[in-house]
Amino acid sequence: MKPMASACTNPAAGPKLGLRERKKIKTRQAIRHAAYRLFTERGYDATPVEQIAEAAEVSPSTVFRYFPTKEDIVLTDEYDPVLERELRGRPKAEPPLESVRHVIVGTLRHSMAQEREETALRMKLVMDVPAIRARMSESTATSARVLCSVLAERTGRPADDLELRVFAAAVLGSLQEAIFHWMEQGQTADLEETIDRTLAILGRGLTL
Amino acid sequence: MKPMASACTNPAAGPKLGLRERKKIKTRQAIRHAAYRLFTERGYDATPVEQIAEAAEVSPSTVFRYFPTKEDIVLTDEYDPVLERELRGRPKAEPPLESVRHVIVGTLRHSMAQEREETALRMKLVMDVPAIRARMSESTATSARVLCSVLAERTGRPADDLELRVFAAAVLGSLQEAIFHWMEQGQTADLEETIDRTLAILGRGLTL
Amino acid sequence: MKPMASACTNPAAGPKLGLRERKKIKTRQAIRHAAYRLFTERGYDATPVEQIAEAAEVSPSTVFRYFPTKEDIVLTDEYDPVLERELRGRPKAEPPLESVRHVIVGTLRHSMAQEREETALRMKLVMDVPAIRARMSESTATSARVLCSVLAERTGRPADDLELRVFAAAVLGSLQEAIFHWMEQGQTADLEETIDRTLAILGRGLTL
Amino acid sequence: MKPMASACTNPAAGPKLGLRERKKIKTRQAIRHAAYRLFTERGYDATPVEQIAEAAEVSPSTVFRYFPTKEDIVLTDEYDPVLERELRGRPKAEPPLESVRHVIVGTLRHSMAQEREETALRMKLVMDVPAIRARMSESTATSARVLCSVLAERTGRPADDLELRVFAAAVLGSLQEAIFHWMEQGQTADLEETIDRTLAILGRGLTL
DNA sequence: ACTAACGGGACGTCCCGTTTTT
DNA sequence: AAAAACGGGACGTCCCGTTAGT
C-alpha cells in the first residue's frame, strides 16, 4: 500500500544507526526532495536525472545508486512493511475490509500530517505523469501480494485463492480511483470520508 | 476493455474499405505480428523497433507512423468502441454488473475462438513484461472512462460520480487479476467460469 | 585478412552509386580519418567518441550508427571479401602457402602505396592499444575462417579439418608477428621480404 | 602458456606459507569460483563485478584489489613461470618443438586430472565469450615472449629474432586452434593426440 | 509520398580512482 | 587497514522529431 504516501524515513529515528547509515538516509532524502521540487517546477519528463543530481549536490552516479531508475525516485517507498505490520496488528475477528480501512486511513492521516506537501505532490505526479502512473501499477501489485498474504494467514486460505486476489485488486484499484477522484475535485472533500464511502461501496456489493 | 484481446482488424472484414485502407490494415498487422514473434523469441526490451521494422519489411519510420510508441504495438487496440457499443446494446434494466459480464465473456469467447494464439501471447506479454504490464494500466484507465460514461448515461448520474468510478475500477482491476490467476493456474480452469466467479464476488460484497 | 590494411573504400569508385550511397561512404571515411588523427595526437583511450564525432562534424549517434563500438572504427574493414576473391583467383595447382604469399604481399603493397599513412597508423594502433589488439584477434579469426573455406574448396577437405585450421592459424598468427617484428625494428627492413621469410619458415617446418 | 589451464593455486599446497598468505589465496579462489559460477549461469557480460563480490562474500573493492580488471579473473593465472621452468627442464639437445610438446601435454594432462571442471569451463569461456577470447590474445602474447626467451637462450639467438617469434606465434596460435577444434568436435577425440598431430603439422612444414 | 539518414538528448551501466567511515 | 560510498566520465542503446534525398 504505497498508493500515495512516502515512508517515514525520518533520519532522526533510531539513535542506533552509525554515521554512515544516517548519511545514506539523508542523501536519499536529498535526492528525493530535489527531484520532487524540480518535477513540480518543470515537469517530470523535462527534468533529467543530471539536474536532479545537481540540485541534490551529488553525482548522477549516486542518484542511480540510490534509485535504479528515475521512476523509482517517485515510486520507491518503504510502505509495504508498514502495511503488513499494521494489518497484522488488527484484531483477527475484524472484518477484513474494516481492517484495511483502519490501516489506510491511519497511514494516510499520518502522511498528511507529517509530510503534507510531499504526499500531495506525489499524488499529483502519479496522476499526471504517464510513466509514473504506469509504474505505479507495479507498486500496487506488490502491495496486493502483501495484502493477500496477510489475509491468507488470517482466513486460512491459500495465498493465491481467487477470492483473496479479487479482494485485494478491487480494494487497491478502488482506493487509487478514490484518491484520483478526490484530487480532481480539487481536494475539497474530506479524504477520509471519501475512502470510507469507497470501501463501503465495495462492502455492500457492486450495484448502481 | 482491452484487457487481453486484440481488436478484430481482419483485413477481409468489410468489403467497403478501399484498397488503400485495406493495405494500411495489412501493414498494421504485419508490424504487430512481426513484433509479437520477436517479443516471444527474444523478449520485449531486447527487441528494438528497428528489428521489428525489418521483420515486417517496412522502415522504422513506418512503424512509427502506425504506432506512436513501441508499447502501443502491444497495447493499441480498437476495443473500447466495441465495448461501448456492446454495452449500450444491453437492456437498460439489466443490472450493470450483469451487462459487463455478458460483454466481457462474449468478447473473450470471440477472441479465443478467432485468434487464440495471439490472444494468449498478448496475455502472456502483459503478465511477464513489466513495461507492457505498466502500460496496460493506461489502457485499463481508458476503458474505465468508457465504462463510466456508459453507466452514467444509463443511471443518470454524472460521469465522475465516485460510485461509478469505484465500480469501474473494481471491476476492471478484478478482471485483470482473474485472468492472471487463471494463467498462473496453467489455464486449466474454465476462463468464463473464473470470470463469473470474480464478478459474483464483487456483486455480493467484499467479505472473506 | 585485415591484419593491417583498410579496405579501399574509394568514394569515386563506382559512378553507379546514388548520392545517398556516396555520402555515406564519405561520412564513414570522415569519421575514420578524424578518429585516426585524434588517436595519433592524444591516444586511443584518451579520445572519447564525442570528440571524434565533433572532429568529423557529425553527431555521436552517427558515429555509433556507422561503427557499433569505438574499436570498430579501427578494426572494421572490408578486406575479407578481397582476400577471398584474390585467393580464388590464384591457380589451383599453386601450393597454398604460395597463394597466400602472393595475395598478402600484393594487398599490402597496394595499401602501402595508396594509403601509407593510414595503414601505418593502423598497424601502430593494433600494436599499442590493448583493447584494439584484443579485438584484432576477432578479425583474425574471421579471416581464418575465410581462408579455411577457400582452402577447403581447393583441396576437397572439409572446412573444419584440423590441418586446414592449423594452417590458417599458423599463417595468420605468424604474419601478425612478422609485422610487429618489422615495426619494432623501426620499419627499416623490407616488409615484403620479412613476409617472405616468415612464410618460408612455416613452409620448411618449424625447427630452430 | 596459459591457453586453457588455471594455475595450481591449491591453498594446501605448500606448508611454508603463513596464515595470511593462505587466506589471500583462499580469497582469490573464492572470487574466481564465484565468478566462474555466475559467468556460467548468466554470461560474462551480464555479470557485474558487484555480483561477483557479493557471491564471494567480499567487497567490490576487494575483488578489485585481487584482479585489476574483470577480465583478469578469467585470464590471470600463474602458468608462465611453470611453462618457463618446465621448458628449461627439458634436455638442451631436444628439438624445440618436441620440448614444447612435452611441456604442453604434461601440463594439460595435469590440469585435466586435477581440475577438470574448471579447466573445461575456462576453455568454454574462452571460446564463447568474445571479451574473454579477446583478452586471451594478450595472454598468448605473454606466453610467446616467455617461449621466445627460453628458446633464445637455448639457441643462442637474440630474443627478438624473427624466426623465434614466428615459431612461438605459430605454435601458440595453432595450439589454441587445436583446442577449439577439439571442443567443437564435442571433446570426443583424444586431446593429446590432437595436439600431437597439430605440432606434427607444424614440424613437417605447412603444405596441404 | 516515402524512406533513409541524422541529430540530440536521456537513460542506465560499468569501470576504476578517491575520499570517508569504521 | 578494510570497507563502503562517491565522483566522474565513457560507452552504447534507445527514442522520436527533423531533414534531405529518391
Side-chain angles (χ1 to χ4, degrees):
Chain A
M1 204 302 294
K2 64 197 57 176
M4 307 286 164
S6 80
C8 164
T9 44
N10 189 336
K16 311 246 173 61
L17 296 137
L19 195 156
R20 202 103 128 201
E21 262 352 87
R22 271 174 293 148
K23 212 174 165 187
K24 260 171 82 172
I25 292 177
K26 261 180 72 175
T27 304
R28 192 180 182 81
Q29 281 195 328
I31 294 170
R32 230 197 305 247
H33 280 108
Y36 278 19
R37 184 168 56 74
L38 292 172
F39 291 163
T40 316
E41 283 171 18
R42 59 191 80 169
Y44 177 84
D45 282 329
T47 308
V49 170
E50 192 168 339
Q51 282 178 26
I52 299 171
E54 209 173 326
E57 296 185 304
V58 296
S59 76
S61 329
T62 301
V63 174
F64 280 114
R65 231 179 257 114
Y66 279 82
F67 302 96
T69 78
K70 186 178 161 189
E71 287 153 5
D72 286 297
I73 300 177
V74 178
L75 291 169
T76 302
D77 63 36
E78 298 77 18
Y79 251 99
D80 285 332
V82 176
L83 166 67
E84 186 163 357
R85 176 158 38 80
E86 298 277 325
L87 269 182
R88 285 190 202 288
R90 303 297 309 171
K92 288 241 162 184
E94 188 177 50
L97 209 53
E98 186 58 18
S99 299
V100 169
R101 198 182 64 78
H102 261 102
V103 171
I104 298 289
V105 167
T107 308
L108 213 54
R109 191 180 298 162
H110 179 266
S111 286
M112 293 303 267
Q114 300 295 329
E115 314 160 302
R116 186 181 195 86
E117 284 296 288
E118 200 161 311
T119 304
L121 174 51
R122 181 180 288 237
M123 288 177 177
K124 189 170 159 38
L125 285 171
V126 172
M127 273 214 20
D128 291 351
V129 181
I132 293 187
R133 195 170 52 239
R135 280 288 310 271
M136 182 68 199
S137 62
E138 294 301 286
S139 265
T140 304
T142 305
S143 299
R145 272 193 293 279
V146 170
L147 184 48
C148 274
S149 85
V150 174
L151 294 181
E153 221 169 88
R154 192 193 281 195
T155 60
R157 302 176 187 231
D160 68 342
D161 177 69
L162 177 66
E163 194 159 353
L164 239 47
R165 291 184 58 177
V166 167
F167 181 101
V171 165
L172 295 179
S174 301
L175 277 174
Q176 172 163 308
E177 201 66 20
I179 292 178
F180 285 176
H181 180 265
W182 171 75
M183 292 197 72
E184 285 166 13
Q185 305 288 324
Q187 312 181 17
T188 50
D190 179 332
L191 179 52
E192 294 187 19
E193 200 245 324
T194 303
I195 288 175
D196 284 351
R197 280 178 58 205
T198 300
L199 295 179
I201 293 166
L202 293 177
R204 119 172 54 98
L206 290 184
T207 54
L208 286 178
Chain B
M1 202 299 296
K2 62 197 58 176
M4 305 286 166
S6 79
C8 165
T9 44
N10 187 333
K16 311 250 173 63
L17 297 139
L19 195 153
R20 188 159 299 183
E21 264 344 274
R22 271 175 293 151
K23 196 173 171 195
K24 266 171 78 172
I25 291 179
K26 261 181 75 175
T27 303
R28 192 181 181 79
Q29 280 196 326
I31 294 170
R32 223 194 311 245
H33 279 107
Y36 276 22
R37 185 168 56 73
L38 293 172
F39 292 162
T40 316
E41 283 171 19
R42 59 191 78 169
Y44 178 83
D45 281 332
T47 308
V49 171
E50 196 166 333
Q51 282 177 26
I52 299 171
E54 207 174 326
E57 297 184 308
V58 298
S59 79
S61 332
T62 302
V63 174
F64 199 38
R65 214 172 299 114
Y66 282 82
F67 301 95
T69 79
K70 184 175 158 189
E71 287 151 0
D72 287 297
I73 299 177
V74 178
L75 291 169
T76 301
D77 63 34
E78 298 76 18
Y79 252 99
D80 285 333
V82 176
L83 167 68
E84 185 162 359
R85 177 158 37 80
E86 299 275 325
L87 269 182
R88 285 192 201 287
R90 303 297 309 171
K92 289 240 162 183
E94 188 177 49
L97 209 52
E98 186 59 18
S99 299
V100 168
R101 198 183 64 78
H102 261 102
V103 171
I104 298 289
V105 166
T107 308
L108 212 53
R109 191 180 298 161
H110 179 266
S111 286
M112 294 302 266
Q114 300 295 331
E115 314 162 298
R116 187 180 196 89
E117 284 296 290
E118 200 161 313
T119 303
L121 174 51
R122 180 179 290 237
M123 288 178 177
K124 191 172 157 35
L125 285 171
V126 171
M127 274 214 18
D128 292 351
V129 181
I132 293 186
R133 197 170 52 240
R135 277 293 308 271
M136 182 68 200
S137 62
E138 293 302 285
S139 264
T140 305
T142 306
S143 299
R145 272 193 293 281
V146 170
L147 184 49
C148 275
S149 86
V150 174
L151 294 180
E153 219 170 89
R154 192 193 281 194
T155 59
R157 303 177 186 229
D160 68 343
D161 175 69
L162 176 65
E163 194 158 352
L164 240 47
R165 291 185 60 177
V166 167
F167 181 100
V171 165
L172 296 179
S174 301
L175 278 174
Q176 172 163 311
E177 200 67 20
I179 292 179
F180 284 178
H181 180 265
W182 172 74
M183 292 198 71
E184 284 166 15
Q185 304 288 326
Q187 312 182 15
T188 51
D190 180 333
L191 180 51
E192 293 187 18
E193 199 244 326
T194 303
I195 289 175
D196 285 350
R197 280 178 59 205
T198 300
L199 297 180
I201 293 165
L202 294 177
R204 116 172 58 96
L206 291 183
T207 55
L208 285 178
Chain C
M1 204 298 296
K2 61 197 60 175
M4 305 287 165
S6 80
C8 163
T9 44
N10 188 334
K16 311 248 173 59
L17 298 137
L19 196 157
R20 202 103 129 203
E21 268 343 274
R22 271 175 293 150
K23 209 171 167 189
K24 259 170 84 172
I25 292 177
K26 263 181 71 176
T27 303
R28 192 181 183 81
Q29 281 194 328
I31 294 170
R32 229 195 309 244
H33 280 107
Y36 277 21
R37 184 167 57 73
L38 293 172
F39 291 162
T40 316
E41 284 171 17
R42 60 191 80 168
Y44 178 84
D45 283 330
T47 308
V49 170
E50 191 167 339
Q51 282 178 27
I52 299 171
E54 209 173 327
E57 295 186 301
V58 297
S59 77
S61 330
T62 300
V63 174
F64 280 114
R65 229 178 260 117
Y66 279 83
F67 302 96
T69 77
K70 187 179 162 186
E71 288 153 7
D72 286 298
I73 300 177
V74 178
L75 290 169
T76 301
D77 62 36
E78 299 77 18
Y79 252 99
D80 285 332
V82 175
L83 167 67
E84 186 163 358
R85 177 157 37 79
E86 299 277 324
L87 269 182
R88 284 191 203 287
R90 303 297 310 169
K92 288 239 161 184
E94 189 177 49
L97 210 53
E98 187 57 19
S99 298
V100 168
R101 199 184 63 78
H102 261 102
V103 170
I104 298 289
V105 167
T107 308
L108 213 53
R109 191 179 299 160
H110 179 266
S111 286
M112 293 303 266
Q114 300 296 328
E115 314 161 300
R116 188 180 194 88
E117 284 296 289
E118 199 160 311
T119 304
L121 174 51
R122 182 181 289 235
M123 288 176 177
K124 191 170 158 37
L125 286 170
V126 171
M127 273 212 21
D128 292 351
V129 180
I132 292 187
R133 197 169 52 241
R135 280 288 310 270
M136 181 68 198
S137 61
E138 293 301 286
S139 265
T140 304
T142 306
S143 300
R145 272 193 293 280
V146 170
L147 184 49
C148 275
S149 85
V150 174
L151 295 180
E153 220 169 89
R154 193 193 282 195
T155 60
R157 302 176 187 231
D160 68 343
D161 176 68
L162 176 66
E163 196 159 351
L164 239 48
R165 292 184 59 176
V166 167
F167 181 100
V171 166
L172 295 179
S174 302
L175 278 174
Q176 173 163 308
E177 201 66 20
I179 291 178
F180 284 177
H181 180 264
W182 171 75
M183 293 197 71
E184 285 166 13
Q185 303 288 325
Q187 312 181 18
T188 52
D190 179 333
L191 179 52
E192 292 187 19
E193 199 245 325
T194 303
I195 288 175
D196 285 350
R197 280 178 60 205
T198 300
L199 296 180
I201 294 166
L202 293 178
R204 115 171 58 98
L206 290 184
T207 54
L208 285 178
Chain D
M1 203 302 294
K2 60 198 63 177
M4 306 285 163
S6 79
C8 164
T9 43
N10 188 334
K16 312 250 171 61
L17 297 138
L19 195 152
R20 190 160 298 184
E21 263 345 274
R22 272 176 293 149
K23 197 175 170 194
K24 263 170 81 171
I25 291 178
K26 260 181 73 174
T27 304
R28 191 181 181 78
Q29 281 197 326
I31 294 170
R32 223 195 310 249
H33 279 106
Y36 276 22
R37 186 167 55 72
L38 292 172
F39 292 163
T40 315
E41 282 171 17
R42 60 191 79 170
Y44 178 82
D45 282 331
T47 308
V49 172
E50 196 166 334
Q51 282 177 26
I52 299 171
E54 207 175 327
E57 297 183 309
V58 298
S59 79
S61 334
T62 302
V63 173
F64 200 37
R65 213 172 298 114
Y66 281 82
F67 301 94
T69 78
K70 184 176 159 189
E71 286 151 0
D72 286 296
I73 300 177
V74 177
L75 291 170
T76 301
D77 62 35
E78 299 76 17
Y79 252 99
D80 286 332
V82 176
L83 168 67
E84 186 162 359
R85 175 158 39 78
E86 299 276 325
L87 269 181
R88 285 192 203 286
R90 302 298 309 172
K92 286 241 163 184
E94 188 177 49
L97 210 52
E98 186 58 18
S99 299
V100 169
R101 197 182 65 78
H102 261 101
V103 172
I104 297 289
V105 166
T107 308
L108 213 53
R109 193 179 296 161
H110 179 265
S111 287
M112 294 302 268
Q114 299 296 330
E115 313 161 302
R116 187 180 195 89
E117 285 296 289
E118 199 160 314
T119 303
L121 174 51
R122 181 180 288 237
M123 289 177 176
K124 191 172 158 35
L125 285 171
V126 172
M127 275 217 14
D128 292 351
V129 181
I132 293 186
R133 196 170 52 239
R135 277 295 308 271
M136 182 69 199
S137 61
E138 294 302 285
S139 263
T140 305
T142 305
S143 299
R145 272 193 293 280
V146 170
L147 184 49
C148 276
S149 86
V150 174
L151 294 180
E153 221 170 86
R154 191 194 281 194
T155 60
R157 302 175 185 230
D160 68 343
D161 176 70
L162 177 65
E163 196 159 351
L164 239 48
R165 293 184 58 177
V166 168
F167 181 101
V171 165
L172 296 179
S174 301
L175 278 174
Q176 172 163 309
E177 200 68 18
I179 292 178
F180 283 178
H181 180 265
W182 172 75
M183 293 197 70
E184 285 166 14
Q185 303 289 326
Q187 312 182 15
T188 51
D190 180 334
L191 180 51
E192 294 188 18
E193 200 245 325
T194 302
I195 288 174
D196 285 350
R197 281 178 59 203
T198 300
L199 296 180
I201 293 166
L202 293 178
R204 119 172 54 100
L206 290 184
T207 54
L208 285 178

